[in-house]
Amino acid sequence: MRISVIGCGYLGAVHAACMAKLGHEVVGIDVDERKIADLSAARAPFFEPGLEDLLREVQATGRLSFTTDMAAAVGNSVHFICVGTPQKKGENAADMTYVDAATAGLLPHLSPGDVVVGKSTVPVGTAARLAAIVKDAQPEAHLLWNPEFLREGHAVSDTLQPDRLVYGVTGGSEDHDAVQILDRVYATPLEAGVPRLVADLPTAELVKTAANSFLATKISFINAMAELCDAAGADVTVLADAIGLDDRIGRKFLNAGIGFGGGCLPKDIRAFMARAGELGADQALTFLREVDAINMRRRIRVVELTRELCGGSLLGQRVTVLGAAFKPESDDVRDSPALSIAAQLQLQGAVVTVTDPQALQNAARRFPELHYEESTDAAIHRADVLLLLTEWQEYRDLDPYETAAMVASPKVLDGRNVLEHHKWRAAGWTYRGLGRP
Ligand code: UDX
């Protein structure tokens, strides 16, 4: 099939490459010339495992190209909208500027029978609004909503082998013409047995925000338990293992720590609350306010624990932060709890050094006032306290004896509860986890 992918960020670049991998002819379109130049040269504009290899592989077939020219969508039959929906400045609601602009830019290039497929995470009601605009411009074109559930760091495999495919169509019927077209797009995963659900437009939009809200709630639940464990002298990691063995609960997303961040969960739950308010259903989501509040308290807790570890004052203390990305295997620092904690500590008088295997450039752009070190050894050298805030494998693998020889004082705060605390304590470290005695 001939496909356009509009928006080539974390979602669109991966989607375009994966669609070409599935055998389609794909053009990726974005307004950012640098991004397009990078992608055209098979360079990923951000760190995502497997993406560059995939770009090289599919570009060699001639099935994938990138451009800034929206007219390249002409002649394609399926157009995916993959642009961002960040949080509006000073508000909880989602900023729809990019989705609206992408749709408006596409309209003059639509032909009868074309299918516009929204993938961006949007406030419920957006798809119906855009479907009407598409129908006005091209009465024989359709708009579908096909939410994306990919995780950064696993984006390629999540796109090629998703857990499920959700199609939102006007009316929610399997018989809608566009369902067959999307089935052809996803023929390979469907043949492999990936479940497919057809829903009406608002349900499809809600599936995405509901899924992200559930994940955020699960993380905040375990972080609330961590607060209790701290108060009661219990261990939240054992508690999570024990409740996680109940398969109604499950162990995934029960890792207590510094909380969730990134370009999705924080802004998505806020936009969901804002939208529920507009719909007069705000009470249904007041619990998400608490989810957000628990999450933000984690950052304060880490700052307080670091102060304790430093003997009551952060002034002049050399604090080394291991990890700046919002999670490992990513260079994304959007709403990264690690960076936000680093910046707080610096504001409160600590001398903070941040290191990360991939995210330093992005981090320096966001917080230029922090000191960054590429080398882990150099960052650790003469530290008064180490903070493990993003659980990259290389930090999990640190040897407590060798590391102790490098620091000024062997004190570590394990913000992700991933270090073997017995080993670190045996090596002479003062170890603090979150929600662990
Ligand atoms: C998320 C959803 O998982 C994905 O389905 C959706 O499409 C986009 O949003 P992503 O933002 O890539 O994906 O990250 P995810 O792996 O969900 O992690 C989010 C945050 O939660 C990270 O900061 C991570 O460190 C944190 N987290 C995750 C925890 O603190 N504890 C956990 O147990 C799991």
Side-chain angles (χ1 to χ4, degrees), residues 48 121 147-154 158 163-164 208 211-212 215-216 218-220 222-223 251-266 268 295 325-328 330 332 334-337 389-391 415-416:
E48 180 60 45
T121 303
E148 180 56 60
F149 305 102
L150 65 79
R151 298 160 297 168
E152 286 177 30
H154 305 269
D158 281 355
D163 292 336
R164 74 290 208 191
K208 174 61 192 264
N212 276 358
L215 294 172
K218 212 172 169 192
I219 299 169
S220 276
I222 202 65
N223 280 328
R251 180 64 179 81
K252 289 181 187 162
F253 270 69
L254 280 185
N255 295 320
I258 63 173
F260 59 81
C264 290
L265 300 191
D268 285 353
N295 194 50
F326 84 103
K327 70 175 195 183
S330 171
D332 194 349
R334 286 176 294 171
D335 208 348
S336 164
L389 298 188
T390 310
E391 69 277 33
R416 299 288 188 168

Side-chain angles (χ1 to χ4, degrees), residues 313-388:
S313 167
L314 288 167
L315 284 179
Q317 293 288 312
R318 285 187 300 271
V319 176
T320 294
V321 170
L322 302 173
F326 84 103
K327 70 175 195 183
E329 302 301 328
S330 171
D331 64 356
D332 194 349
V333 299
R334 286 176 294 171
D335 208 348
S336 164
L339 258 192
S340 141
I341 290 164
Q344 254 316 308
L345 289 166
Q346 170 104 347
L347 280 174
Q348 298 193 27
V351 180
V352 179
T353 298
V354 180
T355 187
D356 188 285
Q358 293 293 341
L360 289 191
Q361 272 189 1
N362 285 344
R365 240 174 269 137
R366 195 150 287 217
F367 288 103
E369 64 278 21
L370 291 170
H371 174 63
Y372 297 98
E373 271 295 347
E374 263 181 45
S375 138
T376 311
D377 284 1
I380 288 174
H381 185 64
R382 295 188 56 236
D384 292 314
V385 56
L386 286 189
L387 268 52
L388 194 166

Side-chain angles (χ1 to χ4, degrees), residues 6 9 19 62 65 90 97 101 137 166 193 200 234 249 307 310 328 333 335 341 363 428 436:
I6 300 150
M19 290 303 100
S65 60
T97 316
V166 176
D200 55 28
I249 296 173
R307 195 194 316 280
C310 291
V333 299
D335 208 348
I341 290 164
R436 310 180 88 178

